[in-house]
Amino acid sequence: MTETLPALSSQYEPSATEAKWQTAWEDNHAFQADASKGGEPYCVVIPPPNVTGSLHMGHAFESALIDTLVRYHRMIGRNTLWLPGTDHASIAVQTILERQLKAEGKTRNDIGREAFLEKAWQWKAESGGTIVNQLRRLGVSVDWSRERFTMDEGLSKAVLEAFVRFYEEGLIYRGNYMVNWCPASQSAVSDLEVENKEVDGNLWHFRYPLTDGSGYVEVATTRPETMLGDTAVAVNPEDDRYKHLIGKTLKLPIMEREIPIIGDELVDPAFGTGCVKVTPAHDPNDFAMGQRHNLPFINILNKDGTLNENGGPFEGLDRFDARKEVIDWLQTEGALVKIEDYKHTVPYSDRGKVPVEPLISTQWFVKIEPIAQKTLAFLDEEQSPHFVPERWGKVYRDWLVNLKDWCISRQLWWGHQIPAWYAISETEGEIRDNTPFVVAKSEAEAWEKAIAQFGQQVKIQQDPDVLDTWFSSGLWPFSTLGWPEQTADLNFYYPTTTLVTGFDIIFFWVARMTLMASHFTGEIPFKDVYIHGLVRDENGKKMSKSADNGINPLILIEKYGTDALRYALIREVAGAGQDIRLEYNRATDESGSVEASRNFANKIWNASRFVMINLNGQTPAQLGAPSRDGLELADRWILEKFNRLVSQTRTSIDSYGLGEAAKGLYEFMWGDFCDWYIELVKLRLRQDDSPSRLAAQQTLAYVLEGTLKLLHPFMPHVTEEIWHTLTQASADEFLALQPYPEAAPVVQTSLDNDDPWNQAEPEEASAAAHSPAAAAVPKTETVLNLLSEPGQFVQFALQYKQVLLIGLGVVAAIIGFNVLDGVVSTLNAVPFVEPTLELFGLYYLGQFIYKNLLWSDRRQAFT
RNA sequence: GGGCGGUUAGCUCAGUUGGUAGAGCGUCUCGUUUACACCGAGAAUGUCGGGGGUUCGAGCCCCUCACCGCCCACCA
């Protein structure tokens, strides 16, 4: 053997290697993008993680997917930018901070806005730092020099620009409408932040007496307390039972208010009693009816969900306590007719985890319809964006079609404060629903506008509310590239290439981005949207904080390595964006699938070690590429297999089949290269200076280096480490920046075009071959298809093949290896025989028997 | 009330345009031959959810049923 064995231990140790390359990549700015270099751009913006603590397994999965795509495209020569960053997550962070304050017995009002925001920024610094470090541990190939945060200076400027432009175009308005009110966070929330839960409730039937004393009407409700705010009872105008009552009045119990009976088509005569109590201030349907019939809107609730002065005797009670009291009261009065069990849906606040109240309040809205039309036009006319898998495009479309206006104001402190300034009058001293205002990009500009509009005496005050988090994330793909400035990055990298994200934020985020972008940039901000599934826990449950079933990616990284975790996640991915389930043992922190991937990394490591031990210290470049003439059957076989692997891998990745590509690489590396090829060439490698040995060495080196490149996007660290030893590359040269292999046959095999067996079927073959599709099928396959038609032929051929194989193996062993070797040499000389595993089985079996059983004395001489 | 996914080996899941049912883990047998025991050689295990249809041939196409899961929706 050689004296210069590469110093590689027999086991791959991930932790040191990973840290080493992560640092080296970053220190050398390996992933820093440069628009001025031109070429074909490939750009991905990270779905910015919320600064709410730390990353979870879903982030690890998503980052692995993106990084694999990004590294691949960088290697195939695209001018690649992966832009990292984080999101301020207005309501989520504020909820956390308020919980902390509550633990100290304080509220946000106790410490004031300024101190609260200081705390928030401090939290952002800590959480953001944690997240960035975690991203590094995942080995992401992002451009850290372009890292952004949704509330940094540039992005805040973009938010102002967007808001002001929307406003000036009449697409943002302030108005008094019914919104979802979360009593826990004491803010409005958008429809999307409401989760409808089915609960076992009741349907209470009440009796309201007619004012003229001629009887009663019976109404049914699931929320009795709202009756305090009733201002009418509605019936269907076609309902023969009740239509004569329309126009009469009722006396509302408890409140003793006189309310009318109105006719409205919305009422379903078949449901309940056919009479509906109308509470315009506390139900979206009733709100609409209230508007149609000019009913009074009586708000009975405070912001915290307790009853206000309109709650009569129940003022001050919590809404659910008030419900009980109202029922008791009506029962005592004899107005409660019956209580039914009733299953219905109740809207819950996503963040606050309490039922939301439909409430009328003054909020800011984005008028969606005109914007959505543009966005829809892109989808319908240009199929943009293109969803993978396609079915999500339908989901996206359906949502865009049915959009209501977007409530963008939140009664919170952490976020982008709304850039509206109110002219406060001396007498009122505070912002009212109808206080006049100006919208401006800065306070100075607001002053100017206010003075021009309201005169010198004006006092102005900025709107205390902040914008919905998704307003700024909606601008993310272009604001991070410099918008509204026409920067070089924006010109070159925008629209971005691919967005990778989960189906759970298609509405929240993907659609908001396409809306914002189609309006402000006139383009859809990404060509493809790759939708991945959720990572579920070992029982198939969605991971969540409340269920406490999260799996910390760092634990698995420490145990098995980043490459192993990435690979385990990606190989589970099927084509269809299905959820994936991660094997995990909570008692031992072990994961079978990650362990299997760790073993694969180790297999790559040891195969590489074997190859390097047998190259006599030469690099693949020094050995030279395998040349056609010296190649033996086994070499040609593995080279052809490798060549096919290259095109399969590229095809799979190009169509987002990352799991498929990962599995193909695994099978080739472990099955073909290690189990077969390496075993086959062991004898040849011991022959001194023979052409046969050289061919084997060249082939080993060539295939190994190529496979490392193919694997690199999936397992960046282990491949980078091995590649440096194999090629003796300098420390600032990276596999990560090498060209990805291209399919380039180095040997002629049966798959070459000039092979007569590979020509398309000429004309009249069989009935089965007459379809247009069949005409393109190579002849070999057609023949196989024909043979299999009766069915039994295949069965027979298979059995025959095995018998043949075993028989020949025995014969080979008996007549001796040299004869067999002669046969193989003959086969080597014939260009159009495709090497098969079966043939190798024969060859290998012969070698094995020869080596171990028969001519042990000759074996001595040989080795 | 609409819509979408899923149901394949003990477990987790692949199965590309219909053409010999696969992988990983687990189980069993053998093996400590100098790349790797985080290994190697080999084995067992499937009425492909049920029923019907099309076809020479269906895990794959069509119909239908069942169960699991998800999304959307203003029925009080």
Side-chain angles (χ1 to χ4, degrees), chain A residues 564-777:
Chain A
L565 177 62
R566 291 169 57 125
Y567 196 80
L569 292 168
I570 285 181
R571 71 182 303 207
E572 296 293 328
V573 179
Q578 291 291 316
D579 290 352
I580 61 173
R581 194 187 287 206
L582 189 65
E583 282 179 56
Y584 192 60
N585 182 329
R586 266 164 218 283
T588 60
D589 287 327
E590 283 169 352
S591 166
S593 63
V594 184
E595 188 181 320
S597 300
R598 188 272 317 266
N599 294 351
F600 181 44
N602 192 54
K603 188 75 180 177
I604 299 168
W605 180 260
N606 276 296
S608 306
R609 217 160 60 91
F610 172 84
V611 171
M612 288 186 266
I613 287 169
N614 285 291
L615 295 186
N616 301 58
Q618 292 174 277
T619 65
Q622 288 161 349
L623 278 164
S627 73
R628 267 184 78 148
D629 298 336
L631 297 179
E632 297 191 11
L633 187 65
D635 308 329
R636 290 168 42 208
W637 172 74
I638 197 70
L639 285 166
E640 178 54 26
K641 274 264 178 187
F642 171 73
N643 201 39
R644 270 195 253 178
L645 177 74
V646 171
S647 49
Q648 278 165 7
T649 304
R650 293 180 79 120
T651 307
S652 294
I653 302 178
D654 286 341
S655 56
Y656 296 97
L658 299 185
E660 191 183 55
K663 280 180 218 163
L665 289 164
Y666 182 96
E667 280 164 25
F668 175 82
M669 186 70 200
W670 202 311
D672 296 330
F673 190 66
C674 293
D675 290 346
W676 282 100
Y677 186 69
I678 284 185
E679 294 304 325
L680 283 170
V681 297
K682 277 182 176 171
L683 282 179
R684 288 165 60 194
L685 289 170
R686 288 177 197 155
Q687 303 168 356
D688 286 334
D689 292 328
S690 70
S692 171
R693 186 175 79 156
L694 181 63
Q697 286 175 322
Q698 288 174 327
T699 308
L700 280 171
Y702 177 86
V703 174
L704 176 65
E705 191 185 356
T707 310
L708 288 174
K709 287 178 182 170
L710 292 177
L711 276 163
H712 179 261
F714 300 87
M715 299 189 127
H717 305 90
V718 66
T719 50
E720 183 80 76
E721 174 74 17
I722 296 170
W723 184 78
H724 275 259
T725 316
L726 176 70
T727 62
Q728 297 168 17
S730 64
D732 57 354
E733 237 182 304
F734 296 107
L735 173 59
L737 303 176
Q738 297 300 307
Y740 210 64
E742 291 188 51
V746 291
V747 289
Q748 184 179 16
T749 72
S750 63
L751 290 183
D752 287 358
N753 285 335
D754 55 358
D755 179 349
W757 281 93
N758 202 29
Q759 297 303 313
E761 193 73 10
E763 289 290 312
E764 68 307 314
S766 68
H770 273 326
S771 71
V777 174

